[in-house]
Amino acid sequence: MASVNKVILLGTLGRDPEVRFSANQLPIASLSLATSSFRRSAESQDRIEETEWHRVTLFGRQAEIAQQYLRKGSRAYIEGRLRTRKYEKDEQTHYVTEIVAEQLQLIDRRQDSPADGNFSDGNSGYAPSRSASRSSGYSSGNQYASQPKTQNAFDDEEPPF
């Protein structure tokens, strides 16, 4: 029987990405991403914001892009899968659930990006539109796949959704 392990997040970084390197020099970035939702209070009908924090891990070229372009407060679109790890610390077993990113899209438009809005690696500074194809520039194997550069169709600072 088939199963699905898919996570889609659009949120704000709570701190700068932390990058480390594996034994074979593969860059690994860790992000703390906040997503918020709103609800109405039952008693006062006030709008209440609820924030959820997510641990996100990126590998390879995605980790390098995160280190170069993302900062605390940056917005990012992440697609990936859930992974739970177990580790021992002080003779106690701990579990950590994180999102292993398979796709990263930068939402904020950076001042230091090229004039056409495309980064040197072909990655646009915006999240995919609803009509965007599944080819994001990143494959699920975390290897960067080149994408043809196109003129950015969005002139204003807001994402197209």
Side-chain angles (χ1 to χ4, degrees):
M1 180 174 198
S3 62
V4 176
N5 181 357
K6 180 93 169 174
V7 176
I8 299 174
L9 300 172
L10 175 59
T12 306
L13 270 69
R15 62 177 188 256
D16 289 352
E18 296 174 8
V19 178
R20 61 190 186 284
F21 292 87
S22 67
N24 61 355
Q25 298 304 306
L26 176 72
I28 303 169
S30 297
L31 309 176
S32 181
L33 193 74
T35 56
S36 297
S37 60
F38 297 91
R39 64 175 179 88
R40 295 270 181 208
S41 168
E43 300 90 33
S44 64
Q45 294 298 311
D46 290 337
R47 188 175 172 183
I48 299 171
E49 180 179 10
E50 296 175 335
T51 302
E52 186 73 29
W53 288 93
H54 311 275
R55 292 176 188 231
V56 179
T57 304
L58 301 111
F59 296 93
R61 182 72 179 128
Q62 290 178 343
E64 293 171 355
I65 290 170
Q67 180 182 32
Q68 185 175 3
Y69 293 107
L70 294 177
R71 298 288 174 258
K72 178 180 179 179
S74 296
R75 297 190 38 86
Y77 172 88
I78 304 280
E79 283 188 34
R81 59 185 170 82
L82 284 176
R83 177 176 71 180
T84 302
R85 293 184 292 121
K86 178 172 95 171
Y87 67 94
E88 299 288 329
K89 182 178 180 180
D90 300 329
E91 298 181 15
Q92 287 189 348
T93 302
H94 297 272
Y95 294 91
V96 175
T97 301
E98 61 191 353
I99 291 94
V100 176
E102 296 170 350
Q103 178 179 350
L104 166 66
Q105 290 288 322
L106 309 176
I107 303 300
D108 294 332
R109 187 174 195 168
R110 301 284 301 193
Q111 295 294 2
D112 55 352
S113 66
D116 67 358
N118 289 328
F119 297 103
S120 61
D121 55 22
N123 183 28
S124 171
Y126 294 101
S129 66
R130 292 172 199 221
S131 63
S133 70
R134 296 295 298 157
S135 174
S136 64
Y138 301 104
S139 66
S140 61
N142 290 325
Q143 294 296 320
Y144 186 77
S146 73
Q147 230 180 9
K149 290 187 179 185
T150 58
Q151 181 69 20
N152 190 352
F154 308 105
D155 292 330
D156 56 357
E157 291 293 320
E158 292 296 316
F161 49 88

